Amino acid sequence: MDQKTGESGIGIGIGIGIGTGLGIDRRALVAASVTVALWASAFVSIRASAAHYGPGALALGRLLTASVALGAVLLVKRTPLPPRQAWPGILASGVLWFGLYMVTLNWGEQGVDAGTAAMVVNIGPIVIALLSGWLLKEGFPPMLLAGMGVSFAGAVVVGMSTSKGGGSSLTGVLLCLVAALAYGAGVVSQKPALRHADPIQVTTYGCFVGTACTLPFAGQLLTQLPHAPLSATLNMVYLGLFPTALAFTTWTYALSRTTAGRMGATTYAVPAVVVLIAWFALDEIPGPLTLLGGAICLTGVAVSRRRRRSGVPAGAAVAAAK
């Protein structure tokens, strides 16, 4: 998930967090690792572009770039349209996740600091667990819920450690909350679509839908584009090609091979990876509290896949039945 998520552990944390049935699905592990790394890298690019592009313009530019890249892949592969049964999920995820989430989070972060935004948006995986357990009949494995609680506590610690304190507007908090709800509902919408269409179809057409939803910001983008420095525009292009086109595709691939609840829990690893990227790319040395919060996030991911005494992971029967 881009942005301040838990846009949502690459090593052992994700390895424990992804699985189907009785073992680790290594292809899903690689896909989820790519997603987490790229969504985390989006922090640097968003900071570099946000001062020059408005929330809607940045979302549209990012989605346009991703749509061109993904559309080219479809043409080269001669991929047909998704079947009719997949379209409700594609439309819902396109409107909620690609469209509403990206705009509202960009907008919300203008009124709240990074720590507050991270804490609010990390409600998303909890929304995923609750909605997928209810609507997708994935159940509510106790260890998954416990792990998500631990990870959320870690996200709060990271948020507290990076918060500048004060100045958070109620509007900004509410917008981040809307973004978190849109993110969670968008993920749950994707899962049924993946029963009928492959990951590249679900990602590409969802991106097309999100792009259409953000077209009202075309005037703003055209106005700001000539005045933005080349670095900001290149960062917007990067956001479209990698954290969106590539990372959302690897996300849907991994989601197609596990449950929505477990994928949601895995995105709690994003804040820990952001800390590492900021450390190396921005020379922002994390403090002890930040490192502690990152460790707690990874512990929660591990707890979410802890085995029961019988040796079968919680919820494995549900995963195997999918």
Side-chain angles (χ1 to χ4, degrees):
M1 233 178 276
D2 75 66
Q3 323 250 347
K4 304 293 182 186
T5 58
E7 290 46 196
S8 265
I10 282 187
I12 189 169
I14 297 179
I16 297 174
I18 296 293
T20 56
L22 300 177
I24 299 298
D25 187 320
R26 299 192 181 280
R27 286 176 292 183
L29 163 60
V30 172
S33 299
V34 169
T35 298
V36 168
L38 290 177
W39 281 353
S41 76
F43 275 91
V44 177
S45 293
I46 290 166
R47 281 203 296 268
S49 301
H52 307 284
Y53 289 103
L58 181 59
L60 175 58
R62 175 179 181 174
L63 288 168
L64 279 172
T65 303
S67 292
V68 170
L70 290 168
V73 172
L74 287 190
L75 289 175
V76 171
K77 296 182 65 177
R78 298 184 178 180
T79 304
L81 285 170
R84 178 173 50 86
Q85 299 91 330
W87 275 103
I90 290 174
L91 290 172
S93 64
V95 171
L96 293 170
W97 198 3
F98 286 91
L100 181 61
Y101 169 80
M102 290 190 181
V103 175
T104 54
L105 187 58
N106 286 345
W107 190 5
E109 286 175 359
Q110 293 183 344
V112 301
D113 56 58
T116 302
M119 286 186 283
V120 175
V121 172
N122 266 293
I123 295 172
I126 297 176
V127 174
I128 294 171
L130 295 176
L131 289 179
S132 61
W134 174 40
L135 297 176
L136 303 182
K137 310 302 181 184
E138 291 180 0
F140 300 95
M143 297 311 297
L144 173 61
L145 296 179
M148 296 188 79
V150 172
S151 289
F152 183 71
V156 171
V157 173
V158 172
M160 291 172 59
S161 70
T162 59
S163 175
K164 295 181 175 61
S168 295
S169 72
L170 176 60
T171 300
V173 171
L174 292 176
L175 285 167
C176 287
L177 177 59
V178 171
L181 295 174
Y183 154 51
V187 171
V188 175
S189 299
Q190 279 189 333
K191 185 64 177 177
L194 288 166
R195 297 172 185 162
H196 307 285
D198 61 37
I200 189 67
Q201 289 175 314
V202 173
T203 301
T204 302
Y205 286 96
C207 188
F208 289 167
V209 172
T211 303
C213 291
T214 55
L215 281 177
F217 298 101
Q220 185 184 73
L221 177 61
L222 291 174
T223 300
Q224 296 173 349
L225 185 61
H227 304 288
L230 179 61
S231 59
T233 302
L234 289 177
N235 274 292
M236 182 170 64
V237 171
Y238 169 83
L239 286 168
L241 292 177
F242 295 98
T244 306
L246 179 55
F248 274 75
T249 301
T250 53
W251 164 273
T252 52
Y253 175 81
L255 180 61
S256 70
R257 306 179 72 86
T258 187
T259 65
R262 289 194 181 88
M263 279 301 294
T266 301
T267 63
Y268 272 122
V270 170
V273 182
V274 171
V275 169
L276 294 176
I277 292 177
W279 192 347
F280 289 104
L282 302 178
D283 198 27
E284 295 178 353
I285 301 175
L289 191 60
T290 303
L291 293 174
L292 174 62
I296 294 173
C297 286
L298 297 182
T299 300
V301 176
V303 169
S304 72
R305 282 296 296 167
R306 186 175 179 180
R307 296 176 183 272
R308 291 176 173 175
R309 292 182 180 178
S310 62
V312 178
V318 176
K322 295 297 178 183

